[in-house]
Amino acid sequence: MAATTTQPMGSLPSGLGICTTAPDVFYLPELIFGGLVWILVASTHVFLPNPLGWVMFVSVFCFVMTFLWMIFFAAGVHKSSSGWATADFAYHSLAALFYLSAGVDLAFVTIQLEPVASFSNIYHIDIAAVVFAFLATLLYFIHAILSAIRWKHF
């Protein structure tokens, strides 16, 4: 008989298991979309009353923390303590909230720039950043829900 490699929802994976189990399979897409938001916002022109500093903080913070979180899980650091399921749920909930606020701020700025910059590439870059910010929000939200389910079963 073939052995299954999937883990039950109540256990925390380590090693390559983070690439095959829910919600941990969302780490790479979160990094990709968060990195795209970071790159796109960094490539636009910042006007003085612009809240893009918050968007940059959120995208860089979540990118670095998600990368570290993924490395911790891959290395098996979470095996030494029982609070990792709670911390996983708390971090992804906070990241979803941060990205939602950053996406709303970025959408507001983009709407405000539309009359003066709709013909420029900066406007199109801002639109792409808004889309990726909301996709990152969705990924972090789904990850938080699946982490909550795993935490409940832990």
Side-chain angles (χ1 to χ4, degrees):
M1 284 209 211
T4 59
T5 59
T6 60
Q7 295 180 343
M9 191 64 174
S11 66
L12 296 172
S14 62
L16 291 178
I18 66 170
C19 296
T20 60
T21 58
D24 305 306
V25 73
F26 290 105
Y27 282 129
L28 289 177
E30 289 166 357
L31 285 171
I32 290 168
F33 290 127
L36 284 170
V37 171
W38 178 7
I39 291 166
L40 291 170
V41 171
S43 68
T44 62
H45 181 71
V46 177
F47 299 101
L48 290 178
N50 204 335
L52 291 182
W54 172 247
V55 178
M56 284 299 292
F57 168 77
V58 168
S59 61
V60 172
F61 172 78
C62 289
F63 185 88
V64 170
M65 288 302 295
T66 300
F67 182 74
L68 289 174
W69 207 250
M70 184 178 70
I71 296 298
F72 288 161
F73 271 69
V77 173
H78 62 283
K79 301 286 185 188
S80 64
S81 175
S82 63
W84 282 91
T86 306
D88 188 45
F89 167 67
Y91 166 67
H92 285 92
S93 298
L94 181 69
L97 181 67
F98 275 11
Y99 256 113
L100 180 62
S101 68
V104 169
D105 283 345
L106 189 56
F108 177 75
V109 168
T110 304
I111 289 170
Q112 296 299 317
L113 290 178
E114 193 267 332
V116 293
S118 62
F119 58 88
S120 71
N121 283 341
I122 293 173
Y123 181 68
H124 296 283
I125 291 171
D126 281 344
I127 290 174
V130 169
V131 170
F132 289 128
F134 283 117
L135 284 173
T137 302
L138 179 66
L139 288 170
Y140 278 108
F141 182 72
I142 292 170
H143 197 145
I145 289 173
L146 294 175
S147 292
I149 293 169
R150 179 169 58 191
W151 178 38
K152 179 183 171 191
H153 294 321
F154 201 75

